[in-house]
Amino acid sequence: MKIGIVCYPTFGGSGVVATELGLEMAAIGHEVHFISYSMPVRLDPYASNVFYHEVVVTDYPLFDYSPYELVLTSKLVSVVKNEGLDLLHVHYAIPHASAAYMARQILKSEGIHLPIVTTLHGTDITLLGKDASFEPVITFAINESNAVTAVSSSLKNDTLAHFKVNRHIDVIPNFINLKRYETLVSNGLRERYAPDGEPVLMHVSNFRKVKRVEDVVRVFSGVRSKIKAKLLLIGDGPDRYNVEQMCRQLGICGDIHFLGKTKNVERVLANGDLFILPSETESFGLAALEAMAAGLPVISSNSGGLPEVNEHGYSGYLSDVGDVEDMTKNALDILATPETLDRFKKQALQQAEKFDLPNILPMYLDLYASLLKPLV
Ligand code: GMT
């Protein structure tokens, strides 16, 4: 198959899932063409069967706002025609699904058939979708796609609840490639930041409000008041300043380290004991799954798709959004003895196995195949 993938190139989960999926498709022999406005952060452009096409928007003084969606549409038409793509898989509804629809119409006028798969990732539905200025476009683009997938049942239900969607949505959860985690070796972070063998708590996000990183610090502060521990914060974003200020106010800066953004999150996670994800909303929570794959139990909120990923009392614990007290108690329960921690670590890994690549990739392959059946 020749597959086109349209995604955001940033550290966000949708771009990560799109990139990992494309790389895995390429690894099993499909030709994969990534189309984005810059190189996706996790993309290896030199991998076999992988191609990258950049969408370059030129600024004209006439425009106050450059029409990115139109440039993307033209690029899609050009790549589909010149590379002979069989289908287009777009990640994130705005503006990718609507640009793909427009490209499909242009190609149709030239006698070219192009099936479109749209994958909904969360914020396109739970945040942007509730904005009246996007709603009609999202509804239309979802209804017009040839196939639509959502990364959790929770996201599928949210989509059906908020939009006048009259079509089937497949649930295909996020995945991880556990093989990559098996060969992990320590990169020395644990020894550097927890030299006395203290448990290492971790959080990975883009530090947006929705992630409630301040709750991570509150939970850590509660844990720290009972036992020695360290907190490693990975990622960066708008809330970092508030979080730093909070560490200072609580007087625990010495035990908290900000590591910034990383492309190789599994190498960092390999140094941790417990992961905290107290998000306001999370359609899936890929960060939690990556943590479990590295053997870290997860203390999370119970919002959105998180209960589908983190099994309460098994791979970690779920609490109501903002219930810092309960999260602290759960964290201390897991860290109570080396035996309990060890059991939860094993269970977290077992839970992650449900989302291992060999279990999820066939779902996408079957979906693609169903769209490429000859039209009768
Ligand atoms: O969570 C983010 O800030 C990034 C966001 C995105 O749109 O890239 O992630 C969403 O998609 C991920 C991959 O499917 C999911 O694992 C995240 O849960 C989801 N984020 C939210 O729902 C807030």
Side-chain angles (χ1 to χ4, degrees):
M1 259 184 283
K2 289 188 178 189
I3 305 158
I5 291 194
V6 183
C7 66
Y8 282 105
T10 53
F11 282 89
S14 65
V16 169
V17 170
T19 308
E20 301 283 358
L21 177 61
L23 289 174
E24 296 298 345
M25 290 283 178
I28 58 171
H30 299 291
E31 191 176 301
V32 181
H33 293 258
F34 286 88
I35 303 145
S36 191
Y37 59 80
S38 76
M39 181 76 72
V41 284
R42 288 213 196 164
L43 183 62
D44 172 4
Y46 307 118
S48 302
N49 301 325
V50 168
F51 300 85
Y52 168 62
H53 308 267
E54 190 148 307
V55 182
V56 181
V57 182
T58 313
D59 276 333
Y60 289 103
L62 180 68
F63 297 136
D64 279 345
Y65 306 100
S66 294
Y68 174 70
E69 187 166 350
L70 297 186
V71 184
L72 172 62
T73 303
S74 294
K75 189 74 176 182
L76 294 179
V77 170
S78 154
V79 175
V80 170
K81 281 164 71 175
N82 293 317
E83 305 291 346
L85 299 191
D86 296 310
L87 67 82
L88 204 55
H89 189 167
V90 302
H91 293 258
Y92 214 84
I94 289 281
H96 301 153
S98 42
Y101 168 79
M102 179 84 160
R104 190 181 69 189
Q105 294 308 98
I106 295 170
L107 290 160
K108 192 174 166 193
S109 73
E110 298 180 28
I112 299 170
H113 171 64
L114 176 74
I116 301 166
V117 180
T118 297
T119 290
L120 306 172
H121 282 276
T123 43
D124 42 358
I125 298 305
T126 53
L127 297 179
L128 290 184
K130 288 179 186 156
D131 182 334
S133 49
F134 293 121
E135 188 278 325
V137 181
I138 297 181
T139 305
F140 181 79
I142 291 175
N143 283 330
E144 287 296 325
S145 298
N146 300 85
V148 176
T149 76
V151 296
S152 63
S153 298
S154 156
L155 181 60
K156 174 179 173 173
N157 295 337
D158 277 346
T159 308
L160 296 174
H162 296 306
F163 299 91
K164 288 196 194 78
V165 167
N166 50 25
R167 50 119 3 89
H168 176 73
I169 297 178
D170 286 293
V171 174
I172 303 187
N174 287 172
F175 62 90
I176 23 99
N177 186 347
L178 274 177
K179 276 211 186 97
R180 286 228 302 260
Y181 289 78
E182 280 161 12
T183 49
L184 282 184
V185 282
S186 164
N187 61 0
L189 279 182
R190 179 188 282 280
E191 292 72 20
R192 183 171 357 146
Y193 291 116
D196 299 329
E198 302 93 328
V200 176
L201 282 66
M202 288 190 166
H203 169 79
V204 180
S205 79
N206 48 20
F207 284 54
R208 288 189 297 125
K209 272 268 163 287
V210 70
K211 301 295 173 179
R212 298 184 68 97
V213 189
E214 291 179 17
D215 281 0
V216 176
V217 175
R218 288 190 187 99
V219 170
F220 177 70
S221 175
V223 168
R224 184 68 196 81
S225 69
K226 301 283 182 205
I227 58 171
K228 281 187 154 191
K230 300 287 177 181
L231 174 65
L232 301 187
L233 294 169
I234 298 111
D236 215 328
D239 259 3
R240 166 133 178 207
Y241 178 81
N242 296 342
V243 172
E244 281 179 339
Q245 205 169 28
M246 190 174 194
C247 300
R248 284 192 285 273
Q249 279 161 2
L250 292 168
I252 50 176
C253 288
D255 290 324
I256 300 181
H257 300 279
F258 291 82
L259 302 190
K261 295 178 184 176
T262 174
K263 287 184 185 182
N264 208 330
V265 75
E266 62 264 28
R267 284 197 68 210
V268 180
L269 289 168
N271 299 276
D273 293 302
L274 188 65
F275 192 78
I276 310 178
L277 193 66
S279 306
E280 183 81 38
T281 171
E282 203 67 71
S283 68
F284 182 88
L286 181 63
L289 176 58
E290 290 182 322
M292 292 179 337
L296 275 66
V298 173
I299 297 294
S300 74
S301 64
N302 55 12
S303 69
L306 280 169
E308 295 171 51
V309 182
N310 183 18
E311 198 180 318
H312 187 66
Y314 187 72
S315 55
Y317 286 107
L318 300 159
S319 307
D320 290 340
V321 173
D323 193 345
V324 169
E325 218 173 285
D326 193 51
M327 292 180 194
T328 308
K329 180 196 155 299
N330 292 336
L332 284 166
D333 279 357
I334 292 179
L335 296 171
T337 65
E339 292 72 31
T340 316
L341 178 59
D342 202 44
R343 177 164 52 84
F344 269 93
K345 282 185 167 189
K346 287 192 180 108
Q347 291 170 177
L349 181 57
Q350 273 163 14
Q351 175 72 355
E353 279 164 10
K354 292 184 189 164
F355 303 93
D356 195 9
L357 184 70
N359 299 326
I360 310 296
L361 195 66
M363 297 186 192
Y364 280 114
L365 286 168
D366 288 351
L367 184 70
Y368 290 176
S370 73
L371 296 177
L372 295 179
K373 276 193 196 128
L375 300 170
V376 280

